[in-house]
Amino acid sequence: MTTLQLYYAPASTFAQRTRVVLLEKGIDFTAIEVDFQHKSPEFLQISRYGKVPAIKHGDVELYESAIINEYLEEVFPEPPLLPSDPAKKAIARIWIDYANTRLAPAFNKFLRGKDGQEQEQGHREFLESLLYLEQAGLGKLSGEGPYWLGEQLSLVDISFYPWFERLPVLEHFRQFTLPAETPRLYAWWQGLRDRPSIQAVANPTRFYLERFTKILGATSTIATAQQ
């Protein structure tokens, strides 16, 4: 069978999700780290947006993590990471979309907002997202199971995972921690972070603190210069 090639970057939230899927399914792959300062022609041929993750699997070339992950689910169906029931699968896709379109943007706005007003708006949106996940998501779908859809890990868990790994960044730079009203989210994260696949792709807290010290420092300098 053709070995799959994965183009990734260690700091990429979206690439982490695909890396976890590959590991959970035991798929043989070759990891190719992308230098964003010098993107190779081979990478740009596969990833037309110039973003990671991207994969090459035989003649198949794909980018965008949600699309890649569903491709991997269909081509490598074991162990399953989505329900077989069409309705339950559709619900799972709604939550994956929520991670992409609600939680992630709110996190980024809170952390990287250009000024205090934008950061405060991000704070409100991120907090609202977490409370919604607690009440409408885990509270209704997981039952007594440790994962989003119950007893088995799914693409939903994997889709939310990277932003919880980065919570120490919000704590350090924005004095934010998970609210007391989200005990199920806290328990879910404490269990998820111990999975071997998660530990294999996780970055230490100091990696994020050093990275965002540079990023946020540069952003602050630009904002000051524009005033």
Side-chain angles (χ1 to χ4, degrees):
M1 182 176 290
T2 303
T3 299
L4 184 148
Q5 294 178 317
L6 168 73
Y7 291 84
Y8 81 105
S12 167
T13 51
F14 296 99
Q16 277 183 311
R17 302 197 302 188
T18 295
R19 292 163 68 197
V20 170
V21 172
L22 290 165
L23 292 171
E24 286 288 340
K25 288 182 172 291
I27 300 169
D28 184 30
F29 69 98
T30 299
I32 303 169
E33 186 172 345
V34 174
D35 179 355
F36 283 101
Q37 301 303 315
H38 304 91
K39 297 177 183 178
S40 70
E42 293 79 12
F43 167 64
L44 292 174
Q45 175 65 32
I46 297 170
S47 179
R48 301 306 174 92
Y49 296 164
K51 300 191 301 183
V52 293
I55 66 167
K56 180 176 176 59
H57 186 219
D59 294 331
V60 177
E61 298 177 345
L62 297 174
Y63 47 97
E64 294 296 315
S65 65
I67 295 169
I68 292 172
N69 293 347
E70 288 221 25
Y71 168 81
L72 296 175
E73 174 71 2
E74 293 184 10
V75 176
F76 303 93
E78 297 296 332
L81 294 175
L82 282 175
S84 58
D85 177 76
K88 292 180 179 178
K89 186 180 295 185
I91 294 297
R93 287 175 172 143
I94 287 174
W95 286 107
I96 292 169
D97 181 74
Y98 191 92
N100 294 342
T101 63
R102 300 299 180 91
L103 185 76
F107 181 101
N108 290 331
K109 187 184 295 184
F110 185 17
L111 179 62
R112 304 178 67 166
K114 63 181 182 296
D115 53 37
Q117 182 177 356
E118 186 172 340
Q119 291 168 20
E120 180 55 34
Q121 182 181 355
H123 179 204
R124 290 195 302 271
E125 293 174 1
F126 187 62
L127 180 58
E128 289 170 0
S129 293
L130 292 175
L131 295 175
Y132 185 72
L133 297 182
E134 176 78 15
Q135 297 160 9
L138 277 170
K140 291 187 176 181
L141 298 177
S142 65
E144 298 302 319
Y147 299 111
W148 202 268
L149 301 181
E151 295 296 330
Q152 302 298 321
L153 182 80
S154 74
L155 290 183
V156 181
D157 302 282
I158 296 169
S159 294
F160 282 111
Y161 140 67
W163 287 273
F164 285 82
E165 182 175 296
R166 289 155 178 78
L167 284 176
V169 177
L170 288 183
E171 181 175 3
H172 181 82
F173 292 104
R174 299 291 179 254
Q175 295 73 56
F176 180 88
T177 57
L178 280 177
E181 298 88 347
T182 58
R184 297 197 68 152
L185 270 180
Y186 179 82
W188 164 82
W189 171 231
Q190 293 305 305
L192 184 66
R193 68 194 304 177
D194 290 334
R195 288 189 74 93
S197 63
I198 298 292
Q199 293 185 350
V201 308
N203 296 306
T205 296
R206 66 177 181 276
F207 172 87
Y208 295 116
L209 295 182
E210 291 172 359
R211 174 177 173 79
F212 281 99
T213 294
K214 296 176 181 177
I215 292 173
L216 298 177
T219 301
S220 176
T221 300
I222 293 171
T224 301
Q226 291 175 340
Q227 291 177 353

